[in-house]
């Protein structure tokens, strides 16, 4: 670990990425020596994907705009947060749902009380606020944003990324330690699977401004086992690891079934973690499976899912559990 010359608001340490993220790399990355309230809490058991981590580090180190794309439940947003956490880099997430407006990002005039008098004062939006400080701003569900909101973001996607406030006749210069990331289920071309209702094709001129696009999808079997065990320490035994391995084998079958068109619902890594946690709560793996995943499946597909369960878990799923409305 090396100390840099202290410059206010800029990283003051250099730390080997291998030590921070447990990945195979010789990179030495900048970090802050002190944390603040906007630094995400650290998950000491988090398992980092090497390619995704390197892409995000390019964003932090070289001010590249990084878009993380992938299926639901793969940990896209948490990956950004955990990288920021280990760098002590303040990080703020914004979910671009349909209620986020241009004013939410840029700001608006508001009536405030100053010295006992009402005055009109400009209140900066989250983009204006983050742009002026050392902060990693993460736009979640990037492919679900409203078109007028997306055009506000388009200007700051460029590295010099100045933001013009028309109402204030002001141009905001980005802080040298401001970073911009986004996560999305699609890659800006729309959704042909029907899984992600509400997403939409993105302006390709805007997509072209993202310097790095990395895909974080389902991990290899053993890596996914490690992820679940990190979230569910009660399974860190020989039998527990075997059970988690069987759960992930079942999840892999649902993913293959979805790809082949046999299923319309798929188990994400998040679903497997939830199933493992629920199995601990109910002391019944089959019941936990029903409450976690089976009840989400189309009725006509539940027999196939029950077959997957028998194949991977080594026991039949009771018939009544594959039929809705029965106990």
């Amino acid at each position: 670990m090396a100390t840099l010359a202290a410059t206010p608001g800029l990283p003051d340490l250099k730390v080997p990425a291998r030590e921070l993220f447990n990945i195979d790399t010789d990179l030495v990355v900048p970090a802050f020596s002190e944390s603040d309230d906007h630094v995400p809490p650290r998950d000491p058991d988090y398992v980092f994907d090497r390619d995704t981590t390197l892409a995000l580090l390019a964003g932090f180190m070289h001010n590249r705009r990084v878009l993380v794309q992938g299926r639901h439940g793969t940990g896209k947003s948490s990956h950004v947060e955990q990288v920021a956490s280990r760098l002590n880099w303040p990080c703020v997430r914004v979910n671009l749902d349909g209620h986020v407006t241009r004013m939410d990002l840029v700001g608006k005039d508001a009536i405030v009380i100053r010295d006992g008098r009402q005055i009109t004062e400009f209140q900066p939006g989250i983009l204006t606020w983050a742009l002026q400080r050392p902060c990693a701003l993460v736009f979640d569900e990037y492919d679900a944003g409203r078109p007028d909101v997306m055009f506000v973001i388009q200007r700051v996607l460029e590295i010099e990324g100045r933001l013009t406030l028309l109402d204030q006749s002001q141009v905001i210069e980005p802080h040298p330690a401001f970073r911009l990331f986004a996560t999305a289920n699609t890659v800006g071309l729309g959704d042909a699977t029907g899984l992600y209702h509400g997403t939409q094709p993105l302006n390709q001129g805007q997509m072209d401004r993202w310097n790095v696009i990395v895909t974080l999808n389902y991990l290899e079997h053993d890596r996914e086992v490690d992820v679940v065990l990190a979230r569910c320490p009660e399974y860190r035994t020989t039998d527990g690891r075997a059970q988690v391995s069987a759960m992930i084998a079942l999840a892999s079958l649902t993913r293959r079934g979805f790809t082949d068109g046999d299923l319309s619902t798929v188990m994400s890594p998040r679903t497997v973690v939830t199933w493992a946690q629920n199995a601990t709560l109910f002391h019944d793996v089959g019941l936990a499976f029903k409450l976690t995943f089976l009840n989400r499946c189309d009725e006509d597909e539940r027999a196939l899912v029950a077959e997957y369960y028998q194949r991977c878990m080594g026991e039949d799923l009771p018939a009544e559990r594959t039929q809705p409305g029965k106990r």
Side-chain angles (χ1 to χ4, degrees):
M1 181 182 298
T3 303
L4 302 177
T7 302
L10 293 179
D12 54 354
L13 293 177
K14 284 279 193 177
V15 187
R18 188 186 303 271
E19 295 178 8
L20 284 182
F21 308 107
N22 193 30
I23 60 173
D24 182 20
T25 178
D26 293 326
L27 279 180
V28 178
V29 297
F32 291 91
S33 59
E34 296 184 4
S35 181
D36 73 10
D37 292 342
H38 292 101
V39 174
R42 179 180 296 201
D43 179 355
D45 297 317
Y46 192 84
V47 179
F48 289 91
D49 175 69
R50 182 178 184 274
D51 289 352
T52 305
T53 303
L54 292 177
L56 294 174
L57 289 178
F60 281 105
M61 295 172 65
H62 304 296
N63 196 19
R64 311 304 283 172
R65 304 307 194 221
V66 182
L67 173 65
V68 185
Q69 180 269 336
R71 296 294 188 190
H72 58 288
T74 53
K76 299 181 294 295
S77 302
S78 60
H79 213 301
V80 183
E81 283 190 321
Q82 289 305 309
V83 171
S85 177
R86 281 156 176 77
L87 300 178
N88 276 333
W89 209 298
C91 180
V92 177
R93 288 171 56 183
V94 177
N95 196 326
L96 287 184
D97 58 45
H99 297 288
V100 174
T101 66
R102 184 182 186 279
M103 288 191 297
D104 292 327
L105 295 185
V106 176
K108 60 185 176 181
D109 289 327
I111 297 175
V112 297
I113 304 297
R114 289 280 185 272
D115 299 324
R117 300 177 57 190
Q118 286 188 350
I119 62 171
T120 300
E121 185 176 276
F122 178 74
Q123 299 292 319
I126 187 62
L127 177 59
T128 305
W129 176 88
L131 197 66
Q132 301 177 78
R133 46 188 35 83
C135 181
L137 182 60
V138 185
F139 287 119
D140 284 331
E141 312 302 339
Y142 187 71
D143 47 1
R146 292 166 42 172
D148 58 326
V149 171
M150 305 307 285
F151 280 111
V152 174
I153 299 170
Q154 182 161 321
R155 182 65 185 92
V156 298
L157 280 174
E158 298 175 9
I159 299 302
E160 65 276 11
R162 301 178 184 87
L163 179 64
T164 303
L165 304 179
L166 297 178
D167 296 342
Q168 304 297 311
S169 299
Q170 183 181 2
V171 177
I172 303 295
E173 292 281 349
H175 189 281
F178 170 76
R179 300 292 184 265
L180 187 61
F181 302 92
T183 67
N185 294 128
T186 71
V187 74
L189 300 176
D191 172 39
T193 66
L195 281 178
Y196 305 116
H197 178 72
T199 60
Q200 55 194 346
L202 295 176
N203 183 309
Q204 289 302 299
Q206 180 170 134
M207 288 298 297
D208 193 52
R209 286 172 165 82
W210 288 99
N211 308 123
V212 178
I213 299 177
V214 62
T215 298
L216 180 61
N217 273 330
Y218 306 123
L219 303 174
E220 294 180 357
H221 182 92
D222 290 344
R223 293 283 290 171
E224 191 167 344
V225 170
D226 292 338
V227 169
V228 176
L229 293 179
R231 293 284 184 272
C232 306
E234 62 273 18
Y235 287 88
R236 294 176 189 171
T237 64
T238 302
D239 291 342
R241 186 179 184 90
Q243 182 169 337
V244 168
S245 180
M247 290 175 166
I248 293 171
L250 172 52
S252 297
L253 287 178
T254 69
R255 297 163 192 168
R256 189 182 310 161
F258 174 79
T259 301
D260 294 341
D262 298 327
L263 290 181
S264 56
T265 311
V266 64
M267 290 184 73
S268 71
R270 182 191 296 128
T271 305
V272 179
V273 170
T274 304
W275 178 18
Q277 293 170 337
N278 287 343
T280 301
L281 292 177
F282 297 115
H283 304 288
D284 186 329
V285 177
L287 176 61
F289 180 72
K290 171 189 175 183
L291 299 178
T292 305
F293 180 72
L294 187 65
N295 286 348
R296 278 197 261 150
C297 298
D298 185 276
E299 292 182 25
D300 294 335
E301 298 172 355
R302 294 186 185 183
L304 178 59
V305 175
E307 180 184 329
Y308 290 164
Y309 182 93
Q310 193 282 329
R311 191 187 310 176
C312 297
M313 305 306 293
E315 62 182 24
D316 289 329
L317 192 63
E320 63 270 17
R321 290 184 181 167
T322 66
Q323 300 176 17
K326 293 189 178 183
R327 297 178 180 235

